[in-house]
């Protein structure tokens, strides 16, 4: 008979270790915060406090780099930012709702204390790569180097645009998780879950966003939450980086099946499926219907969404080669728009579909600068036959299914120029989210000229 | 029954018999024990285990006695003299050890030998000021904190006494008891006088009506209610532990957190901002939204977590499970901190500073 003699100290050790593991398990040893960008043990949050020794022994990623449980650091009360305790036990106020417009200061939004470049409190802030979408995923060079700079691009010119943080904060009050003291950034990002998508640009598992209606989950990291959900209708734009390939970050064309991109459409539409007000533009931004099909019927949604084109469209690569396979491309919002700020109006990216825009989109209805965006994917006269850049005569008047016959120019165009060189009509009079053109809309131009119905009677023009 | 003080009673000469016990003193003590309303005397055994009439035995002070005698109340030593040692489950709680205690991760695992308050060992070590309360006689003064952080001098105990009389002198160390201490009344400067009656009349088990005498309070804390675990949590688990008294948003001077607030009142001042501006205490997590993460405390069954304890309205017994219907899931200072000390910065129960929120996520379950 074999007798196993077990040392009681061994048993105690085993029991102790088992309990320790139990504590770790109850503490969620590898939970979402530990996998988040902020909770990264090497590159996560690590605040350096001016005038106060670095917050004690707290390791990188520790809660104390953002939260002060007693509004105190090192026994001083209260310190260190803004002279008093702040909501959510943050070391500074989450948001100054008196700040209605850019330019933003670091003190306006809690997140900017770190996401602000040279003035950042984050240790080794220069290593943070908070570039814009055009650079991170589109392969362009230059652009803003941090989030605060991205929002403050209006400093670079009147036409630049930004996602108005007061509007976001105000709109987000309707979401259950969102509090009156929440930072507007938290409408789109869960600071305890957002991951380092910059480090893994082709893996939506590292997404940084959460739906406002589902704040406690990441968005894009699960099957059904990527552009692959559009059943092949999403065509990855070209990548501008030296490697070529497609967005994001030069993924090979053969692999680009939508699964590398979070479904940004569903994400943006969490707010923009309804009309929302823009303080910056002093008007309502129309609701966006990215899902309803129906061609040129009035109830149909945008053709850049799930609704399909109804007439000949002249498109650039890579969409041209896919034309025979797809009759209904679905674009991603971020194929054209930046989420934070852009040097163009309407948050239009500075580079789209593999290259930088050749001119600035001003947002003024009277000019045709929107065409600088359109021509990144659609053929202007230059691309069609070597005509002028950002001139659109061929597609409007000379193509097989052109909407308007090239005659009676003055019906629409301002006076001036000769045949074929009439001053353009601002793109925005006919093209924009949700727009339809028929005998009654868009109606009269500021010049007093009336735009007639297109051939066929009516068209959805976006 | 023989007394258990400072390790094994075999080491003590008093265990041979009450040779020096004064008859009148014995009579006095017996009268206290038999007084109506007393549940139990906290200290049992021979008088001579703790007292000496002349601070002399056979013409000399015994080596087991303290070196600074004679002491008040005819004691043979001071607080540390009795409460220094290594816990092994005896009847004397040791709060400071000469050698490093076993704490493991949270001080609640099997094999640990610290008690509910933790241990002063670490704060007494050089350069470890933040590991506990820097108690006079046990540790050197804190090198950076001349007074209790957050002290506002407005919070009185149930007997009306206020720590430091409401004004803490710079550089004055905290004590075990008395004017500058936690135990006993703050009206008495000397710690022994401050806890007068506590060791003899002290009550055990459920203390639901602590009154205003040191002896009536939980662990001789004036006016504080609570359930005293008979082993001071030497062997702690979900069923066997202290049950701390809590409140829910209203001022209640019998809660364990109200004790801390006497010295650290500013730390949890909610103010009028409308959101937590400091981590709340005396807040019932049952008040949170139905889908709040904090309702996940203790998992699906809301089992009591000794490593991160919560308080309750009712302290008649230790709770094995926490009812999220109300009154049993109250955040306290002691949910995060050890009152005496721990191996961790800011005398945390768990390694907060060195982790990514260990301990925090027991309540903040979505932040794991």
């Amino acid at each position: 008979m074999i007798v196993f003699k077990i040392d009681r100290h061994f048993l105690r050790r085993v029991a102790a270790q088992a309990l320790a593991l139990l504590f770790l398990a109850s503490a969620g040893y590898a939970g979402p915060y530990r996998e988040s960008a902020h909770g990264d043990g090497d590159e996560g949050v690590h605040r350096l406090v001016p005038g106060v020794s670095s917050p004690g022994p707290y390791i990188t990623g520790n809660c104390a780099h953002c939260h002060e449980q007693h509004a105190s650091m090192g026994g001083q009360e209260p310190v260190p930012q803004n002279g008093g305790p702040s909501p959510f036990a943050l070391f500074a106020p989450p948001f100054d709702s008196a700040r209605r417009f850019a330019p933003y200061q670091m003190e306006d939004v809690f997140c900017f204390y770190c996401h602000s470049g040279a003035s950042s409190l984050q240790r080794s802030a220069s290593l943070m790569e908070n570039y814009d979408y055009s650079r991170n995923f589109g392969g362009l060079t230059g652009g803003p180097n941090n989030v605060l700079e991205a929002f403050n691009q209006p400093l670079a010119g009147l036409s630049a645009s930004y996602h108005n943080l007061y509007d976001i904060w105000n709109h987000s009050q309707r979401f259950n998780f969102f509090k009156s003291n929440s930072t507007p950034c938290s409408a789109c990002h869960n600071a305890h879950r957002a991951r380092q998508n910059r480090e893994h640009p082709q893996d939506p598992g590292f997404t940084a966003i959460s739906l406002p209606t589902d704040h406690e989950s990441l968005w894009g990291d699960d099957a059904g939450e990527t552009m692959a959900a559009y059943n092949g209708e999403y065509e990855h734009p070209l990548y501008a980086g030296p490697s070529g390939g497609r967005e994001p970050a030069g993924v090979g064309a053969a692999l680009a099946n939508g699964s590398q991109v979070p479904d940004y459409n569903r994400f943006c539409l969490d707010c923009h499926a309804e009309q929302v007000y823009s303080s910056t533009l002093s008007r309502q931004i129309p609701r966006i219907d990215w899902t309803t099909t129906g061609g040129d019927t009035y109830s149909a949604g945008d053709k850049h969404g799930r609704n399909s084109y109804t007439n000949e469209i002249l498109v650039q690569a890579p969409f041209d080669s896919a034309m025979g396979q797809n009759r209904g491309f679905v674009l991603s919002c971020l194929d054209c728009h930046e989420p934070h700020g852009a040097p163009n109006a309407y948050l239009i990216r500075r580079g789209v579909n593999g290259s930088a825009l050749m001119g600035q989109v001003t947002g003024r209805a009277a000019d045709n600068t929107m065409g600088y965006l359109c021509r990144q994917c659609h053929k202007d006269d230059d691309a069609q036959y070597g005509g002028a850049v950002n001139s659109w005569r061929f597609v409007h008047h000379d193509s097989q299914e052109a909407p308007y016959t090239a005659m009676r120019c003055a019906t629409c165009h301002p006076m001036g120029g000769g045949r074929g060189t009439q001053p353009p009509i601002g793109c925005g009079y006919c093209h924009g989210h949700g727009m339809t053109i028929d005998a009654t809309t868009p109606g009269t131009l500021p010049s007093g000229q009336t735009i007639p119905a297109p051939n066929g009677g009516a068209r959805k023009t976006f | 029954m023989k007394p258990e003080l400072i390790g094994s009673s075999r080491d003590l000469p008093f265990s041979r018999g009450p040779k020096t016990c004064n008859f009148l003193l014995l009579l006095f003590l017996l009268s206290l024990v038999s007084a109506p309303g007393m549940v139990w005397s906290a200290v049992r055994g021979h008088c001579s285990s703790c007292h000496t009439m002349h601070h002399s035995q056979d013409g000399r002070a015994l080596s087991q006695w303290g070196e600074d005698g004679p002491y008040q109340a005819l004691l043979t030593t001071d607080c540390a003299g009795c409460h220094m040692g290594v816990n092994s489950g005896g009847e004397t709680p040791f709060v400071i050890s000469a050698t490093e205690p076993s704490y493991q991760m949270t001080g609640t695992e099997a094999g640990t030998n610290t008690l509910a308050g933790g241990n002063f060992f670490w704060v007494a070590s050089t350069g470890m000021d933040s590991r506990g309360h820097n108690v006079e006689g046990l540790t050197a003064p804190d090198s950076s904190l001349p007074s209790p952080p957050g002290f506002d001098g407005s919070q009185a105990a149930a007997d009306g006494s206020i720590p430091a009389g409401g004004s803490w002198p710079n550089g004055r160390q905290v004590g075990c008891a008395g004017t500058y201490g936690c135990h006993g009344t703050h009206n008495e400067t000397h710690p022994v006088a401050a806890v007068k009656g506590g060791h003899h009349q002290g009550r055990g088990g459920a203390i639901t009506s602590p009154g205003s005498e040191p002896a009536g309070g939980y662990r001789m804390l004036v006016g504080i209610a609570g359930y005293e675990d008979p082993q001071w949590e030497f062997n702690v688990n979900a069923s066997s532990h202290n049950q701390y008294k809590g409140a829910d948003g209203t001022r209640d001077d019998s809660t364990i957190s109200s004790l801390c607030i006497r010295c650290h009142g500013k730390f949890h001042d909610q103010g009028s901002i409308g959101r937590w501006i400091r981590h709340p205490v005396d807040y019932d997590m049952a008040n949170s939204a139905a889908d709040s993460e904090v309702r996940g405390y203790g998992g699906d069954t809301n089992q009591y977590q000794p490593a991160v304890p919560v308080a309750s309205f009712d302290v008649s017994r230790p709770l094995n499970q926490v009812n999220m219907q109300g009154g049993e899931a109250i955040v306290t200072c002691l949910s995060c901190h050890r009152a005496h000390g721990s191996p961790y910065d800011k005398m945390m129960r768990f390694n907060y500073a060195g982790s990514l929120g260990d301990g925090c996520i027991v309540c903040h379950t979505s932040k794991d």
Side-chain angles (χ1 to χ4, degrees):
Chain A
M1 180 179 178
I2 300 173
V3 177
F4 291 96
K5 186 177 180 182
I6 303 176
D7 183 85
R8 65 187 176 90
H9 296 294
F10 172 76
L11 282 177
R12 284 181 69 179
R13 272 201 314 276
V14 169
Q17 288 166 356
L19 279 175
L21 287 172
L22 192 64
F23 179 78
L24 286 173
S26 71
Y29 188 60
Y33 180 67
R34 293 158 200 270
E35 294 178 344
S36 75
H38 289 150
D40 187 284
D42 295 322
E43 299 175 353
V45 287
H46 193 112
R47 175 171 46 130
L48 302 176
V49 184
V52 178
S53 60
S54 178
Y58 305 111
I59 64 169
T60 299
N62 184 270
C63 319
H65 294 295
C66 294
H67 300 279
E68 294 177 353
Q69 312 305 344
H70 305 292
S72 170
M73 192 64 77
Q76 300 176 54
E77 167 68 24
V79 289
Q81 297 288 348
N82 298 69
S86 301
F88 311 114
L90 293 169
F91 68 76
F95 180 55
D96 179 3
S97 58
R99 177 70 67 184
R100 299 298 178 92
F101 305 101
Y104 298 107
Q105 309 296 318
M106 193 167 74
E107 294 79 10
D108 294 333
V109 181
F110 178 80
C111 308
F112 289 157
Y113 277 96
C114 287
H115 293 280
S116 53
S119 55
S120 171
L121 300 184
Q122 170 72 9
R123 184 185 64 176
S124 304
S126 61
L127 300 180
M128 276 201 295
E129 295 178 329
N130 289 158
Y131 305 131
D132 61 4
Y133 192 90
S134 296
R135 180 168 177 174
N136 278 339
F137 301 95
L140 271 77
T141 56
N145 288 305
N146 58 73
V147 181
L148 176 59
E149 192 177 331
F151 276 97
N152 278 345
Q153 291 186 76
L155 294 173
L158 291 174
S159 297
S161 55
Y162 60 99
H163 225 145
N164 186 295
L165 290 170
Y166 172 81
D167 290 343
I168 294 173
W169 174 83
N170 191 40
H171 181 83
S172 299
Q173 303 295 326
R174 70 195 61 199
F175 302 120
N176 286 336
F177 82 92
F178 202 88
K179 308 294 188 298
S180 59
N181 297 110
S182 293
T183 167
C185 306
S186 64
C188 300
H189 304 283
N190 183 327
H192 301 106
R193 293 177 184 267
R195 306 190 71 187
Q196 287 181 298
N197 56 3
R198 170 69 183 95
E199 299 294 320
H200 309 273
Q202 297 175 5
D203 184 354
F206 288 84
T207 179
I209 55 177
S210 295
L211 291 176
T213 51
D214 189 16
H215 182 69
E216 290 302 331
S217 295
L218 287 172
W219 178 252
D221 60 333
D222 288 333
E225 296 179 358
T226 71
M227 294 304 288
Y230 293 91
N231 301 320
E233 295 176 8
Y234 177 65
E235 189 68 31
H236 291 241
L238 298 178
Y239 179 65
S243 65
R246 304 291 186 87
E247 291 187 3
V251 63
L255 298 174
N257 61 3
S259 66
Q260 296 85 1
V261 184
D263 182 357
Y264 291 117
N265 300 337
R266 170 70 181 85
F267 174 72
C268 298
L269 292 174
D270 230 24
C271 291
H272 289 282
E274 302 297 331
Q275 181 176 265
V276 293
Y277 185 76
S278 167
S279 297
T280 313
L281 300 175
S282 299
R283 64 170 172 81
Q284 298 286 349
I285 297 175
R287 66 180 289 269
I288 293 171
D289 183 347
W290 215 244
T291 57
T292 308
T293 58
D296 287 319
T297 60
Y298 288 99
S299 60
D302 288 343
K303 291 177 175 175
H304 287 89
R306 295 207 88 149
N307 192 17
S308 62
Y309 62 89
T310 53
N311 300 88
E312 178 189 31
I313 56 172
L314 305 170
V315 289
Q316 310 263 28
F319 305 100
D320 53 352
S321 59
M323 284 288 286
Q325 304 157 36
N326 278 326
R327 189 169 169 77
F329 294 119
V330 176
L331 272 61
S332 160
C333 300
L334 295 195
D335 288 351
C336 296
H337 297 283
E338 286 286 348
H340 297 150
N344 299 301
Y346 311 127
L347 292 169
I348 299 296
R349 286 171 49 172
R350 59 197 174 89
V352 170
N353 195 30
S355 62
L357 273 58
M358 290 188 68
Q360 189 178 43
V361 179
T362 68
R364 289 189 292 270
D367 67 31
N368 70 338
T369 56
M370 183 66 76
Y372 288 120
L373 169 67
C374 306
R375 67 182 301 278
Q376 294 298 111
C377 299
H378 294 272
K379 289 183 176 178
D380 63 359
D381 293 347
D382 172 48
Q384 187 63 34
Y385 59 85
V389 170
N390 198 24
S391 175
W392 298 89
R393 174 187 169 85
F394 184 84
V395 69
H396 285 104
H397 303 300
D398 299 334
S399 63
Q400 191 173 354
E401 297 183 88
Y404 296 105
T405 307
M407 54 187 297
R408 299 197 303 170
C409 307
T411 303
C412 298
H413 289 274
M415 298 301 290
R419 176 176 171 76
T421 58
Q422 287 82 6
I425 300 170
C427 307
Y429 288 121
C430 298
H431 300 283
H433 284 293
M435 291 185 75
T436 300
I437 186 166
D438 59 14
T440 58
T441 56
T444 306
L445 298 171
S447 63
Q449 294 152 312
T450 300
I451 299 176
N455 296 333
R459 285 193 188 186
K460 300 292 288 188
T461 53
F462 196 79
Chain B
M1 171 177 279
K2 292 179 181 179
E4 285 195 41
L5 290 172
I6 315 182
S8 168
S9 59
R10 287 177 300 177
D11 301 332
L12 298 174
F14 322 123
S15 61
R16 291 194 294 267
K19 292 180 180 177
T20 59
C21 186
N22 182 287
F23 177 73
L24 288 177
L25 180 60
L26 178 62
L27 208 58
F28 172 67
L29 295 173
L30 287 172
S31 71
L32 292 177
V33 170
S34 60
M38 293 298 115
V39 176
W40 188 246
S41 174
V43 171
R44 292 172 290 169
H46 299 304
C47 309
S48 58
S49 299
C50 301
H51 298 280
T52 173
M53 297 302 100
H54 307 291
H55 198 65
S56 173
Q57 180 75 25
D58 298 330
R60 62 184 174 85
L62 296 180
S63 59
Q64 291 87 352
W65 295 350
E67 296 176 352
D68 301 321
Y71 297 94
Q72 280 213 351
L74 308 181
L75 289 166
T76 59
T77 186
D78 57 12
C79 303
C82 283
H83 293 284
M84 173 179 267
V86 177
N87 291 297
S88 58
E91 294 191 7
T92 301
F94 297 122
V95 298
I96 183 168
S97 305
T99 56
E100 183 168 7
S102 171
Y103 192 85
Q104 297 189 31
M105 287 183 62
T106 67
T108 61
E109 296 83 0
T112 56
N113 60 6
T114 52
L115 304 180
N119 199 285
F120 290 107
F121 169 83
W122 295 281
V123 68
S125 305
T126 304
M128 299 285 192
D129 280 345
S130 68
R131 264 56 169 176
H133 276 112
N134 305 70
V135 172
E136 184 178 28
L138 302 182
T139 77
D142 191 291
S143 60
S144 61
L145 299 175
S147 60
F151 184 82
D152 68 7
S154 66
Q155 310 293 327
D159 63 354
S161 65
I162 298 176
S167 177
W168 198 283
N170 258 4
R172 184 65 168 84
Q173 273 187 273
V174 65
C176 295
T179 305
Y180 302 100
C182 299
H183 298 278
T185 178
H186 309 299
N187 282 332
E188 292 286 353
T189 305
H190 199 284
V192 173
V195 298
K196 183 179 178 182
H199 285 88
H200 295 296
Q201 306 167 45
R203 298 156 61 188
I207 297 175
T208 55
S209 302
S212 59
E213 294 294 325
Y218 171 88
R219 307 294 188 207
M220 288 183 251
L221 302 168
V222 172
I224 304 302
Y227 176 87
E228 294 185 347
D229 178 70
Q231 287 194 304
W232 298 273
E233 296 194 351
F234 176 68
N235 287 312
V236 63
N237 56 52
S239 304
S240 181
H241 54 82
N242 290 331
Q243 186 65 42
Y244 299 113
K245 170 76 173 177
D248 183 26
T250 57
R251 177 167 177 164
D252 183 338
D253 291 338
S254 71
T255 70
I256 194 69
S257 295
S258 75
L259 170 80
C260 310
I261 286 169
R262 287 183 209 162
C263 285
H264 304 289
K266 290 181 181 175
F267 272 1
H268 294 283
D269 178 18
Q270 166 65 359
S272 58
I273 290 181
R275 295 288 163 203
W276 300 123
I277 54 176
R278 298 178 176 88
H279 196 285
V281 293
D282 274 350
Y283 166 75
D284 189 352
M285 293 191 287
N287 283 337
S288 59
D291 60 349
S292 172
E293 60 174 346
V294 300
R295 287 178 171 272
Y297 172 89
D300 293 340
T301 59
N302 295 125
Q303 187 178 51
Y304 185 91
Q305 301 292 300
V308 184
V310 288
S312 58
F313 294 159
D314 177 14
V315 291
S316 62
R317 61 186 172 84
L319 296 172
N320 180 265
Q321 283 184 305
V322 173
N323 185 337
M324 282 291 174
Q325 300 302 308
E328 294 187 356
I330 298 169
V331 184
T332 83
C333 303
L334 299 189
S335 298
C336 301
H337 298 282
R338 294 282 186 190
H340 295 157
S342 80
Y344 303 126
D345 188 60
K346 304 293 188 287
M347 46 209 283
M348 296 292 286
R349 286 177 163 267
F350 38 83
N351 188 10
Y352 170 63
S355 71
L356 299 182
D358 279 1
C360 304
I361 51 184
V362 172
C363 296
H364 296 282
T365 55
S366 75
K367 311 285 191 307
D368 61 349

